[in-house]
Amino acid sequence: MRVVVYVHHMEIGGSQLGALELARETMARGHDVLVLAPPGGALWEVADRFGLDTETLPTHLTWPSPRNMARVVSAVRRTRADVVHAHEWGPAIDVALGTHLLLGTPAVVTTMSMYVSGYIPRHLPLVVGTRDLAEDAEGRGYRQVELLEPPVDTVANAPGVAGGPAARARWGFGPDDVVVSVVCRLTDDLDKTAGVLEAMDVVEQAGPASPVRLLVVGDGPRSDAVVARAEKVNAELGRPAVVVAGALDDPRPAYDAADVVIGMGSSVLKGMAFGKPVVVQGERGYWRALDEQSLAVFLGQGWFGAGGAGAAALAAALSPLVRDAGLRAERGAFGHRVVTERYSLAASAERMEQVYRAAAATGRRSPRDLARLGARVAWDVVRGRLRERPARD
């Protein structure tokens, strides 16, 4: 098959990195894959390392983008693509109103967001990352919904592959330090930065004698606020309790260096792949540790949540893990089993191949759905409010 993959941006993040990993695995299965994405972002180097055929689109983070639509149409014609795979709501608009409408090319949409955007047409095959989202989308009239839990490359992400003790030495962590790592984009989206700041509050409240050290990996529009808060915490405690490492092309050493990983979505799954105990973050102060009791919750709602006690909830989840190395080992082994049994990249690529084949065989345009999308986009553009929104209509 010939597949064109449209990634929404190439800044470090779970959805787009997962898109590249699936594209690489699809290529390894013998298919022709072309990845299109806006300019900028550290993941271009990752795509090169993966050996992917890539093309840079003209416009960054603007949808709908007539220039990007034209470039995608050109790529589809040149490659004679069988299917176009749009990742997240922005590319879904460009693909639906571009190649799918104009050329009739079958399209597939993946969203790893915590809800399904109303800009995604209901007749297109839709891939979501949680059971709850799949059921919700089906209830809202999406006609072909596939559950594909966020894939993890359990070969590239495994205990010890990124340096082990050398990874800890890279940031000056000693054998008695209890390192809590978070790898995320420093943005207000999904309260990611709020969670990082709450983690710093926990470190500060633990006091100067605590063995806890926080490693923050990532960058974004809130980087300055994170660095400023880290400097304040370190000055207050009189020690480098918080290390802000910035963005890393390869963040795996941050997972390997950790004793505990905190975060959401694919980031926390990668922590589990490294055999680390994890605490899952969500919006509005949500924190919950993974254990045998909470697993069913996360398998339903995804590795995310909403509503909680903020720093107090994180402190309560971290406290037993900080005190008890045996509990850390037990929880880490449990999480590792969950990832290897349910989230294998190879199994995910095989399932995605089936979705592609079905779309290529049966994918058709829906004039009604596309007209509805065009009207919705035009109205929101006129109002200046084109942004991600749940499918509530």
Side-chain angles (χ1 to χ4, degrees):
M1 293 187 68
R2 296 176 295 273
V3 182
V4 169
V5 176
Y6 184 170
V7 181
H8 60 310
H9 65 79
M10 295 289 268
E11 294 162 356
I12 291 175
S15 174
Q16 49 273 31
L17 180 56
L20 296 181
E21 290 176 335
L22 272 177
R24 178 192 62 186
E25 196 72 16
T26 300
M27 182 178 66
R29 295 176 68 85
H31 304 289
D32 294 330
V33 179
L34 172 64
V35 174
L36 308 178
L43 290 181
W44 282 106
E45 295 182 14
V46 174
D48 289 342
R49 191 165 68 244
F50 285 176
L52 291 166
D53 186 11
T54 60
E55 186 174 325
T56 305
L57 295 172
T59 306
H60 178 65
L61 295 180
T62 300
W63 297 291
S65 169
R67 296 173 67 199
N68 284 0
M69 287 184 194
R71 188 69 62 84
V72 177
V73 166
S74 174
V76 166
R77 282 177 168 152
R78 185 178 71 251
T79 62
R80 294 178 292 121
D82 298 298
V83 64
V84 181
H85 188 174
H87 285 267
E88 305 302 340
W89 67 274
I93 294 175
D94 284 355
V95 168
L97 298 180
T99 54
H100 186 60
L101 175 63
L102 299 176
L103 305 180
T105 309
V108 172
V109 178
T110 288
T111 180
M112 288 297 164
S113 179
M114 298 306 163
Y115 54 82
V116 176
S117 171
Y119 293 120
I120 300 174
R122 287 173 170 81
H123 73 285
L124 294 179
L126 174 65
V127 180
V128 297
T130 74
R131 186 172 61 239
D132 286 359
L133 272 181
E135 293 172 356
D136 181 69
E138 288 172 346
R140 297 185 189 284
Y142 285 85
R143 298 167 202 168
Q144 183 182 342
V145 181
E146 302 289 343
L147 172 61
L148 188 70
E149 293 169 315
V152 178
D153 186 339
T154 53
V155 176
N157 299 276
V161 302
R168 292 175 69 89
R170 173 176 180 173
W171 289 289
F173 300 136
D176 295 329
D177 291 328
V178 178
V179 179
V180 178
S181 291
V182 55
V183 180
C184 72
R185 179 127 174 91
L186 300 179
T187 172
D188 289 328
D189 182 42
L190 302 178
D191 285 346
K192 291 178 180 177
T193 299
V196 172
L197 297 177
E198 287 170 354
M200 292 191 200
D201 289 343
V202 172
V203 172
E204 184 176 28
Q205 292 162 11
S210 170
V212 176
R213 299 186 68 184
L214 177 66
L215 173 62
V216 181
V217 172
D219 64 6
R222 296 298 308 280
S223 292
D224 289 347
V226 169
V227 170
R229 177 68 177 128
E231 291 174 349
K232 184 176 180 181
V233 170
N234 290 340
E236 179 70 24
L237 296 178
R239 63 185 180 92
V242 180
V243 177
V244 181
L248 300 178
D249 293 343
D250 181 2
R252 292 180 300 164
Y255 296 110
D256 223 4
D259 294 290
V260 182
V261 169
I262 62 176
M264 62 179 69
S266 60
S267 179
V268 80
L269 288 170
K270 287 182 179 175
M272 293 158 61
F274 275 90
K276 311 298 182 178
V278 299
V279 180
V280 177
Q281 181 206 350
E283 294 179 303
R284 304 193 308 278
Y286 180 95
W287 294 98
R288 186 169 181 180
L290 170 66
D291 55 25
E292 293 186 0
Q293 288 69 46
S294 62
L295 176 61
V297 173
F298 295 130
L299 293 180
Q301 71 186 25
W303 300 90
F304 187 73
L314 176 57
L318 283 177
S319 180
L321 293 169
V322 171
R323 292 195 309 264
D324 190 341
L327 181 62
R328 293 199 297 270
E330 177 186 326
R331 294 261 186 96
F334 173 69
H336 188 261
R337 287 197 303 273
V338 171
V339 164
T340 53
E341 291 171 4
R342 296 188 63 98
Y343 295 90
S344 152
L345 179 61
S348 297
E350 182 177 359
R351 183 71 192 106
M352 186 57 69
E353 181 180 356
Q354 295 170 359
V355 173
Y356 288 157
R357 291 193 183 281
T362 63
R364 295 183 179 88
R365 287 172 285 192
S366 170
R368 187 172 115 183
D369 272 8
L370 292 171
R372 183 186 293 117
L373 171 64
R376 177 182 295 129
V377 170
W379 176 242
D380 286 347
V381 167
V382 168
R383 294 188 303 168
R385 297 179 181 175
L386 187 67
R387 60 184 182 273
E388 186 175 8
R389 66 185 199 177
R392 299 296 181 190
D393 51 342

